Structure formats: C-alpha cells, structure tokens
C-alpha cells in the first residue's frame, strides 16, 4: 500500500448491463436510463458526496457473439449492448462536480494516437484536469471486423502496437508544446510562440506522426493512466505505463504476488513503485442489519440472468460456454482474450467451479468478491484489504443502479470516514492530485513518458 487513505472508483459503463447481467429487471433499477444525461449527473453528485476519486467507464467495441456462435443472447439481454461512448457524458458530469475524476476506456487497437490524444486533451481541458485514460488493447473479435481489420490482432502484437501508441501520445502530450508556448500577446499579435511548439517526427512500425500536437497543454498534460494487464506482456505494459492498476486475481495470495510483481517490474523502468496504485474490484451489498443485507443479496441473486452471464463470460474468455454441460468442471485454458477471468475460476486451489456455479457467482460482478453485511462489516472488509493485503483502494462494482452506489455512500462511507480510512476533503482539484497528493497535477518525473 502506498496510500495513507483509501481510494475509490465507481466501476460502471455507459450501457444497460455492465457486469451484473439481469439486474435491469430488478424493481426500481435505473440502468435503462443510461441514455439520459440526468442519470449520469445524479451518479456524479452521489459519487463526489462519497469522496470517490473517479467514475470508471468500461467500454468495448463489438458484440458478445462467442456464446452459441451468435449475437442473439447478448442483444436480447442487453449484455454490454446497447452502449454509448462514455467520453460524451463526461462534460455533463464535470459540470455538476468540482473534484470527481472520470476514467474513460479507449482502445489502442482501434484508435489512432494523434486523434485520441486530441480527444483526451480536450476532455482534460473541459474537466479542468480530471480525466483518466484506461488503456485497453481490446479482446472481442467482433470489434475488429467493424473497424476495418480482417481479424483481431494477436494478443502480444496488440501490446506492441499499444507501446508505440503510447510513445506517440506521450510525445504529443509531454514534448510538443512547451509550458510557456502560449503567450496571448495582443499587442504584438502573437498568440503562440512558434519556437516553443515542436514537431514529434515519429516514424514507427504502426504509425507515422509528424506532429505537433494540435492542442495546447491541458492541466494534467497526460491524462491519468489506468491499465489492467494480467498476462506477462500485459504486466510489462502496466509496469511501464500505468498509474492506477486494476487487479483481477483469484485469491488474496495472488493479489499480493501480483502487486509485488508489478512494483518490481515498475522499478525496472526506473519508476518509484509507490507511483502505482492498485485497485481490485469489490461488490458491496449493505443493509442496516445483517438480515436486511442478506435479504438484498438473495433478491439480487434471483435476478441474475445466467444465460446472459454466460454470453458475457464467453466473450471475456473467447470460448463458447454454451457447448459445455452446466455441471462440467471448468478447466484451465490459455486465451487470446482476458486470461485473468479464466484464472479466477481455474487457478484457485481451494475450489473447483462448475459452469453453472461460475455463472451464478459471476452474475454479481463477474470475478470480484461480494461483501454482504452491515456498514461495519463491509467497512471491516475494506479496512482488511487496505491495511493487511496492501491495496490502495477499490473499484466499487454496482449490482442495482443507482442503489448500490447510494447504499454505499449513505451507509459505508460515513463508517470509513469515522475510521479515518476515507478523506473528508479532496487533496486537490485534478484527478492526479487526488490520487497522489496536492501539487502532483502532471506525471511524476520518473514516468517513462518524461524520460525522453
Ligand atoms: C477491472 C478490469 C476492467 C477492464 N475493463 C476493460 C474495458 O472496459 N474494456 C476492455 O476492452 N478491456 C477491459 N479489461 C481488460 C483488460 O484491458 C485486459 O485486456 C485484461 O485484463 C487482460 O489482460 P492481458 O491482456 O494482459 O491478459 C478490463 C480488465 C479488468 C481486470
């Protein structure tokens, strides 16, 4: 743990269903309002009231069509489809908040770095420095076809492209415009001093980008960088680039090993290992009493749509789970998609999972632990992971929207604050300051983006 208090992200998606398939049918659930700007401004206000660092928006391109070799289940059950581009709700949410950050997922396989660097600089300007980029390489085959590729790139090659993508982005964000390039001198007629705006002249395997960057420096220059690599290649990428890392490991021991491994790898890139923050996912189900919390848990479970969950997981692991007998034990496979999800159900020595058991468990937040109890019991669990296991905070996953967030903010947040685990005030105005301390608006100097 490199933090003196807990950090929190709300884990969500600009879609009906994210990781709790079936919950849109729960009485009062508002997921279907994802197209409504006011839904998101309410979420933003609640998250800021609860001291959250940021709202994390997952995003995918393509449809989950691996299950049954068909897109039908995913479409019928709203499995991450339909979904909107999360970047466009961010300005509305920023308008009604002062400190909350916004992490948007963007793919290095399906974007061009010059274009994306511009979009993210713009968002960083419009939010006064509260934007993060969740760097993904994308795992769905169905996305490739829509975006002009014959097939999805091979796993490690996706990371090669991502490396070069980030080299270009860093050069645009960090090196192209000097701090004092913009002079706005009305008298002389010089808005920007051309001597202080530089080409980047990047010529590489995937991209040729002369530059310069089209945007003047935004408050954070480089947005805060989130990443979730779990393969060997992915870990190397995260160690080099990420400031916030999503942890998806099956056991406490595996989480500890993962954090240690990434910190060591980061040191290998000349980085202070404390400049990486680690966030596992967690699903809090809280009630004023144990009985109320248990009753909520039971009724949430009743709404899990196991077929929809199987469609989601089939896409995560790139394997058609409709071909398996529901009582068959899951076996370890190597996948080109998300290895961490396979490992969660096949690399835990304490337990073997059948297909049915996995679908029932994964219906509430996929691979993350579900914590059910009173505010004190849920806070105990958060405190344990923070103090004893050494994570910096959590991605709080929603079951029912917005009830999960509201319950958490109204019931658990006061308990965490009482214990001194959660701050009363934000450290600064930008997202990076809130994660790393007042004054740290730009990347740390030991980040590879600043080493050129
Ligand atoms: C918490 C978490 C959130 C993720 N969110 C997304 C996402 O929104 N979009 C996406 O394409 N991939 C997402 N991923 C997948 C990762 O980007 C990555 O592909 C995955 O962790 C596998 O890593 P690997 O490629 O190193 O095996 C997420 C993974 C985790 C653990």
């Amino acid at each position: 743990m490199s933090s003196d208090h807990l950090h929190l992200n709300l884990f969500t998606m600009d879609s009906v269903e994210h990781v709790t398939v079936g919950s849109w049918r729960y009485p009062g659930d508002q997921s279907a309002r994802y197209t409504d700007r006011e839904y998101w401004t309410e979420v933003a206000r609640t998250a800021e009231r609860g001291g959250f660092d940021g709202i994390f928006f997952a995003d995918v391109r393509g449809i989950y069509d691996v299950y049954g070799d068909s897109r039908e289940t995913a479409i019928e059950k709203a499995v991450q489809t339909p979904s909107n581009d999360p970047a466009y709700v961010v300005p509305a949410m920023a308008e009604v908040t002062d400190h909350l950050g916004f992490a948007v997922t963007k793919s290095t396989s399906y974007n061009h770095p010059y274009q994306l660097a511009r979009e993210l600089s713009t968002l960083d300007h419009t939010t006064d420095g509260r934007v993060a980029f969740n760097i993904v390489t994308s795992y769905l085959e169905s996305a490739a076809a829509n975006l002009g590729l014959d097939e999805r790139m091979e796993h490690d090659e996706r990371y090669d492209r991502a490396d070069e993508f980030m080299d270009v982005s860093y050069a645009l964000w960090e090196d192209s415009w000097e701090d004092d390039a913009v002079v706005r001198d009305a008298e002389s007629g010089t808005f920007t001093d051309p001597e202080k705006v530089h080409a980047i002249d990047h010529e590489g395997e995937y991209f040729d980008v002369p530059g310069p960057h089209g945007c003047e420096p935004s408050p954070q220059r480089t947005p805060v960088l989130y990443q979730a690599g779990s393969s060997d290649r992915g870990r190397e990428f995260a160690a080099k680039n990420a400031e916030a890392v999503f942890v998806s490991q099956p056991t406490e021991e595996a989480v500890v090993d993962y954090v240690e491994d990434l910190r060591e790898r980061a040191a290998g890139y000349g980085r202070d290992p404390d400049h990486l923050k680690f966030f596992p996912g967690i699903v809090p189900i809280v009630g004023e009493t144990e009985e109320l919390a248990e009753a909520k848990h039971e009724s949430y479970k009743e709404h899990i749509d196991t077929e929809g969950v199987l469609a989601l997981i089939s896409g995560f692991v790139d394997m058609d789970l409709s071909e398996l007998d529901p009582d068959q034990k899951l076996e370890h496979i190597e996948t080109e998609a998300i290895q961490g999800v396979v490992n969660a159900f096949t690399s835990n020595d304490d337990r073997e999972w059948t297909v049915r058991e996995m679908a029932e468990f994964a219906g509430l937040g996929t691979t993350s632990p579900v914590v059910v109890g009173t505010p004190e019991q849920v806070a105990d669990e958060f405190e344990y992971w923070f103090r004893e296991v050494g994570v910096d905070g959590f991605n709080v996953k929603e079951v029912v929207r917005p009830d999960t967030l509201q319950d958490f903010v109204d019931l658990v947040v006061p308990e965490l604050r009482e214990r001194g685990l959660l701050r009363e005030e934000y450290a600064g105005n930008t997202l990076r300051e809130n994660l790393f301390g007042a004054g740290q608006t730009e990347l740390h100097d030991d980040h590879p983006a600043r080493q050129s």
Side-chain angles (χ1 to χ4, degrees):
M1 168 187 50
S2 63
S3 306
D4 52 12
H5 61 82
L6 267 174
H7 293 276
L8 300 171
N9 291 303
L10 177 70
F11 196 70
T12 193
M13 189 165 177
D14 194 355
S15 63
V16 184
E17 293 291 24
H18 178 204
V19 286
T20 53
V21 184
S23 56
W24 68 274
R25 299 169 73 193
Y26 194 83
D29 181 88
Q30 312 232 348
S31 310
R33 283 183 59 214
Y34 78 99
T35 54
D36 174 353
R37 195 177 61 250
E38 274 182 26
Y39 169 78
W40 291 110
T41 52
E42 285 158 22
V43 166
R45 286 193 178 101
T46 311
E48 188 162 84
R49 181 161 62 80
F52 277 66
D53 290 81
I55 308 268
F56 164 77
F57 282 104
D59 197 26
V60 291
R61 295 293 180 86
I63 290 183
Y64 286 77
D65 59 4
V66 176
Y67 183 75
D69 197 19
S70 159
R71 67 176 84 99
E72 212 173 292
T73 306
I75 292 182
E76 183 186 346
K77 297 175 185 300
V79 180
Q80 301 194 354
T81 299
S83 76
N84 282 342
D85 187 323
Y88 295 96
V89 292
V90 167
M93 296 168 93
E95 187 65 29
V96 298
T97 52
D98 296 316
H99 303 280
L100 187 68
F102 308 95
V104 291
T105 296
K106 291 281 170 187
S107 170
T108 54
S109 301
Y110 303 127
N111 282 289
H112 189 283
Y114 182 81
Q115 173 65 17
L116 188 63
R118 183 166 193 263
E119 289 173 20
L120 290 170
S121 291
T122 306
L123 268 187
D124 203 48
H125 278 297
T126 40
T127 59
D128 301 319
R130 293 191 273 148
V131 161
F133 170 18
N134 177 40
I135 312 164
V136 300
T137 57
S138 298
Y139 50 85
L140 291 175
E141 186 85 52
S142 57
N146 284 324
L147 290 151
L149 300 178
D150 292 339
E151 54 185 27
R152 181 184 56 193
M153 270 182 290
E154 188 261 326
H155 178 271
D156 284 8
E157 199 198 342
R158 296 203 297 268
Y159 277 112
D160 293 343
R161 181 180 154 112
D163 270 331
E164 195 184 322
F165 191 107
M166 295 315 295
D167 287 344
V168 175
S169 307
Y170 293 149
L172 292 168
W173 286 323
E174 297 291 329
D175 306 331
S176 188
W177 287 59
E178 294 184 29
D179 283 339
D180 53 358
V182 175
V183 290
R184 295 191 209 176
D185 186 345
E187 215 166 290
S188 70
T190 302
F191 190 85
T192 305
D193 179 352
E195 297 285 313
K196 294 188 172 170
V197 177
H198 310 287
I200 66 164
D201 293 329
H202 178 91
E203 286 179 21
E205 196 180 336
Y206 300 96
F207 311 106
D208 291 336
V209 181
H213 191 28
C215 305
E216 65 179 279
S218 64
Q220 300 184 114
R221 281 189 173 262
T222 295
V224 176
L225 302 165
Y226 284 40
Q227 218 272 333
S230 63
S231 60
D232 184 58
R233 189 69 181 82
R235 288 175 185 219
E236 212 48 49
F237 183 87
K240 183 175 170 197
N241 297 285
E243 301 176 273
V245 182
F246 294 157
V247 186
S248 178
Q249 296 293 323
T251 61
E252 187 182 314
E253 203 188 348
V255 171
V256 172
D257 287 350
Y258 178 85
V259 172
E260 206 171 291
D261 178 42
L262 250 78
R263 287 199 195 284
E264 264 175 42
R265 290 180 195 238
Y269 287 100
R271 300 181 67 191
D272 177 346
D274 285 349
H275 294 169
L276 280 75
K277 303 266 183 222
F278 291 89
F279 294 88
I282 196 159
V283 184
I285 300 178
V286 57
E288 283 86 349
T289 63
E290 254 180 88
E291 293 68 37
L292 282 171
E294 273 306 336
K296 258 187 212 175
H297 187 205
E298 286 309 313
S299 68
Y300 288 172
K301 281 199 288 192
E302 281 164 22
H303 284 79
I304 295 173
D305 188 324
T306 44
E307 205 193 359
V309 176
L310 290 173
L312 178 69
I313 304 287
S314 295
F316 281 174
V317 302
D318 203 14
M319 178 182 177
D320 181 2
L321 295 170
S322 75
E323 286 175 354
L324 303 183
D325 175 341
D327 294 313
Q328 189 172 332
K329 296 264 187 262
L330 291 168
E331 284 176 24
H332 191 81
I333 56 162
E334 292 297 320
T335 174
E336 281 283 297
I338 308 185
Q339 190 66 46
V341 174
V342 179
N343 296 350
F345 295 104
T346 60
S347 305
N348 185 342
D349 292 341
D350 300 339
R351 174 158 186 193
E352 284 190 323
W353 294 80
T354 65
V355 175
R356 189 196 316 275
E357 287 165 349
M358 184 270 293
E360 285 167 2
F361 177 82
L364 296 183
T366 64
T367 55
S368 298
V370 179
V371 189
V372 185
T374 61
E376 294 75 24
Q377 288 169 326
V378 173
D380 284 348
E381 193 71 16
F382 276 60
E383 183 161 10
Y384 174 77
W385 279 84
F386 178 66
R387 292 203 196 284
E388 307 299 327
V389 184
V391 302
D392 296 282
F394 292 92
N395 286 328
V396 175
K397 293 190 174 182
E398 303 166 290
V399 180
V400 172
R401 290 160 47 168
D403 299 20
T404 305
L405 173 65
Q406 267 167 5
D407 286 350
F408 184 81
V409 170
D410 291 338
L411 300 171
V412 182
V413 163
E415 180 66 27
L416 294 173
R417 286 193 164 135
E418 185 128 319
R419 296 182 190 193
L421 285 166
L422 196 66
R423 63 189 159 207
E424 302 281 344
E425 303 283 338
Y426 284 89
N429 294 320
T430 62
L431 176 56
R432 192 171 279 110
E433 284 184 301
N434 289 324
L435 285 169
F436 292 102
Q440 193 65 53
T441 287
E442 294 186 19
L443 275 174
H444 287 98
D445 286 335
D446 61 9
H447 192 282
R450 295 213 141 191
Q451 295 302 308
S452 59

